[in-house]
Amino acid sequence: SESGFLLIGSLLTGSFVVAILFGGSLLLWQAVRNHRDARQKTSFVSNVSHELKTPLTTIRMYAELLGEGKIDSIQKQQSYLQTIIQESQRLTRLVNNVLHFSRLEHGEKVYSLDNFDLIELIEDILSRQSLRLAEAGLRLTKKIGTAPLPLQSDRDALEQILLNLIDNAIKYAADGKELIIDLQQTAEKLSLSLIDQGPGIPTSQQQKIFDKFHRLDSSLTSSQPGAGLGLSIARQLARGMGGDLTCKAIETGGTNFCLSLPRHKESS
């Protein structure tokens, strides 16, 4: 009948319009997503290039001054050499972050499990970072004990996690004047907390900070160089070793980054 034909025609027309709107929305969403990804990649390349250039420039400048033989003061020579060592270590951390990011993104990260003393590893890392912490004005408080603590895990990945967390504290929490390293343990798990007295992280951002390329939109982060990868890499490495990395605010101010790890894990 004529009414049935009109009904079917209306339904087909409506379906056609809905399909066009849905397809257009999908294309628009894809275009916005591609634009955002392209902007993130451009920002990533720019930030990483800037971060790599800074220590390289410093190393070259001080090396040339020493190479010219114009620095007679032994104290100045030692100071310049110490600066070169620090900037070399910084360069190594940046390169390791980029390498870890690439391997994690392509699913190529392989964890090598070793048996080692966790206390010895923490003390070694803190010893190497002591000058940076002191220059940032951060007093170090250790609550880790002295007795050997055997752990089966990936030593290099664990070191990268701790270095990224210490970098984070130096960049954004130095005003708090203190960094607490607290180690708790059970028969199955170890929990290592890095607690600062800095400005803290809003509750709404405590999960987002682990997203790759994410940086807090504040004057604190805008004044510090970074690609927004350190915490993302740290959490992925922690989870790859069967643990986790979490963040929570402290009522009195500051942030607690807690790294939890199983004491034993099957090789992966």
Side-chain angles (χ1 to χ4, degrees):
S1 64
E2 184 177 351
S3 60
F5 177 78
L6 289 175
L7 177 61
I8 293 174
S10 298
L11 291 174
L12 289 174
T13 303
S15 300
F16 183 66
V17 171
V18 170
I20 291 176
L21 291 174
F22 177 76
S25 300
L26 188 62
L27 290 174
L28 179 61
W29 174 79
Q30 187 65 42
V32 171
R33 181 181 177 183
N34 290 340
H35 176 70
R36 183 188 63 211
D37 290 345
R39 186 173 57 186
Q40 286 181 337
K41 289 177 181 178
T42 301
S43 176
F44 167 69
V45 172
S46 175
N47 288 334
V48 169
S49 299
H50 175 73
E51 286 205 67
L52 292 174
K53 182 180 179 180
T54 302
L56 281 172
T57 301
T58 304
I59 291 170
R60 179 178 177 180
M61 179 180 68
Y62 282 101
E64 287 178 348
L65 287 172
L66 290 172
E68 291 171 357
K70 297 180 180 179
I71 310 300
D72 297 326
S73 170
I74 299 297
Q75 186 176 0
K76 276 191 175 182
Q77 290 178 3
Q78 291 298 321
S79 175
Y80 288 1
L81 285 172
Q82 188 62 46
T83 300
I84 290 173
I85 292 172
Q86 287 181 345
E87 292 300 294
S88 299
Q89 292 172 344
R90 177 184 173 191
L91 192 60
T92 300
R93 290 193 301 273
L94 293 172
V95 172
N96 283 340
N97 265 345
V98 174
L99 291 176
H100 279 303
F101 174 72
S102 176
R103 290 167 185 163
L104 290 167
E105 283 292 288
H106 292 88
E108 299 173 352
K109 175 63 181 174
V110 178
Y111 296 89
S112 176
L113 300 186
D114 297 309
N115 294 300
F116 57 92
D117 178 9
L118 178 60
I119 303 299
E120 181 182 350
L121 175 63
I122 295 174
E123 290 286 7
D124 178 56
I125 294 173
L126 294 178
S127 175
R128 284 185 277 127
Q129 300 302 310
S130 60
L131 186 57
R132 294 182 65 222
L133 290 165
E135 289 179 345
L138 279 169
R139 181 177 70 259
L140 189 62
T141 301
K142 295 183 289 185
K143 300 178 181 180
I144 60 176
T146 56
L149 183 57
L151 175 66
Q152 184 183 52
S153 191
D154 188 311
R155 185 186 182 99
D156 291 338
L158 181 54
E159 180 173 349
Q160 191 66 26
I161 293 171
L162 295 180
L163 287 174
N164 282 351
L165 292 177
I166 291 172
D167 268 349
N168 197 70
I170 291 174
K171 283 182 177 180
Y172 308 119
D175 289 345
K177 304 300 181 184
E178 183 179 24
L179 178 63
I180 301 172
I181 313 293
D182 184 31
L183 178 62
Q184 304 292 329
Q185 57 178 306
T186 65
E188 303 295 331
K189 186 176 72 171
L190 299 172
S191 296
L192 181 65
S193 294
L194 279 78
I195 305 167
D196 64 62
Q197 308 297 323
I201 298 172
T203 304
S204 61
Q205 297 286 325
Q206 288 175 14
Q207 290 302 318
K208 293 181 180 180
I209 59 172
F210 294 107
D211 294 342
K212 59 186 178 184
F213 305 121
H214 182 79
R215 303 189 75 206
L216 294 179
D217 186 14
S218 69
S219 59
L220 184 66
T221 55
S222 62
S223 62
Q224 295 287 348
L229 286 180
L231 291 177
S232 174
I233 291 172
R235 170 174 273 188
Q236 289 185 72
L237 290 175
R239 290 180 172 178
M241 293 187 290
D244 202 0
L245 178 62
T246 58
C247 166
K248 63 179 180 180
I250 302 172
E251 291 183 1
T252 56
T255 308
N256 178 358
F257 284 97
C258 182
L259 170 65
S260 61
L261 289 173
R263 284 197 165 188
H264 301 281
K265 185 177 183 294
E266 294 182 1
S267 180
S268 63

